[in-house]
Amino acid sequence: MAKKIAFISALGGQGTSLAAAYTALAAASAGRQTALVDTCGFGGTLSYMLGTDGDTVMNLNDVATGECSVEEALADCGENLKLLSACSFSERIISPLSVEVRRVVESLSREYDVFADIPAGTLPDCGMAGCFDMFVICSHADSMSLKYSSKLCRFIRRSSAQTANPCETRLLLTEFTPEQMKSSGIQDIDRCIDIVGARLAGVQPYDNRALEAALSGQPPDKECEMMRYARDTAERLFGKRVPLDSGRSFRLPI
């Protein structure tokens, strides 16, 4: 069955967009028909990160206002991945919590697994919680990020409890380095899980190759470290049991 997965963070700068892009790309590379939806207002960040910035004409705003169909606005990113980009500039900005966006997500889920990038600090209401099967909370492994991620996790669960289709919450540690975690006084990843109160979806390491590609508008580096860990994360989100420490580059202190 198709899944609808929202990537969200409590604070800005947590690497949510990059995590959503790489995890969706990993799912598509595994053969799943995948649609990635950018709901982050101005800009079109995901189209830039995926190297399709010059190829997108119509966007989420156009679909939500009835200017075009969902199919007309989808950009082909190759390997089973379609992108519905955010609006660049418009007189009317569509809220990620709007009824129109929910309808777009539901429509896409008839053919695709849907990954959505939700703006940082956006608190999903009951309707949004019921729209998605899962919220992946992206967080750095430091005390402040984890504290606010915990609050966001509790809010999502309260909203979800009021819907007919409760959603799951997962934690994704982004731009991770063991040094960052320990400098914040956190001993191991288990403690990160305890603070947030959500099952761990995975860990995405700090990766200069991935960041440089994203900042320069180049297509994702499919051989970078972040991509390898994104594949593990994608498999977990779809129910497979994958060991946390792949031993590919560094051992996680768990």
Side-chain angles (χ1 to χ4, degrees), residues 32-190:
R32 303 189 73 95
Q33 295 297 318
T34 306
L36 179 59
V37 182
D38 190 347
T39 72
C40 293
F42 289 109
T45 304
L46 290 179
S47 60
Y48 189 78
M49 286 182 175
L50 291 171
T52 63
D53 193 41
D55 302 330
T56 54
V57 178
M58 311 303 282
N59 54 52
L60 175 61
N61 197 81
D62 298 314
V63 177
T65 56
E67 297 296 320
C68 70
S69 67
V70 176
E71 291 75 16
E72 290 173 316
L74 290 175
D76 189 355
C77 298
E79 288 196 277
N80 307 313
L81 180 62
K82 303 289 187 180
L83 172 66
L84 181 54
S85 66
C87 51
S88 297
F89 296 97
S90 174
E91 293 181 0
R92 181 188 176 197
I93 301 301
I94 301 298
S95 165
L97 306 183
S98 70
V99 173
E100 294 95 332
V101 171
R102 295 174 201 165
R103 287 174 178 164
V104 170
V105 170
E106 291 291 347
S107 176
L108 283 170
S109 69
R110 299 186 189 112
E111 297 184 45
Y112 304 94
D113 291 305
V114 181
F115 289 72
D117 182 17
I118 308 295
T122 301
L123 296 178
D125 62 7
C126 298
M128 179 59 82
C131 177
F132 289 99
D133 304 310
M134 182 185 298
F135 278 88
V136 177
I137 299 173
C138 298
S139 177
H140 290 168
D142 64 74
S143 298
M144 178 177 289
S145 298
L146 293 169
K147 174 184 175 182
Y148 281 94
S149 294
S150 174
K151 291 183 177 181
L152 177 60
C153 182
R154 292 197 298 271
F155 187 94
I156 292 172
R157 285 181 174 169
R158 286 197 300 270
S159 297
S160 175
Q162 300 176 44
T163 70
N165 299 300
C167 63
E168 298 180 62
T169 55
R170 297 289 184 89
L171 169 64
L172 179 61
L173 296 174
T174 52
E175 299 179 2
F176 178 86
T177 65
E179 294 76 20
Q180 176 199 55
M181 182 177 66
K182 288 188 175 181
S183 68
S184 190
I186 300 170
Q187 295 303 310
D188 53 37
I189 289 177
D190 284 340

Side-chain angles (χ1 to χ4, degrees), residues 218-239:
Q218 299 298 315
D221 185 341
K222 296 178 184 178
E223 301 304 319
C224 70
E225 194 169 56
M226 184 178 291
M227 186 64 193
R228 293 196 295 268
Y229 278 86
R231 292 190 183 103
D232 289 348
T233 298
E235 289 189 354
R236 293 189 198 99
L237 295 181
F238 288 98

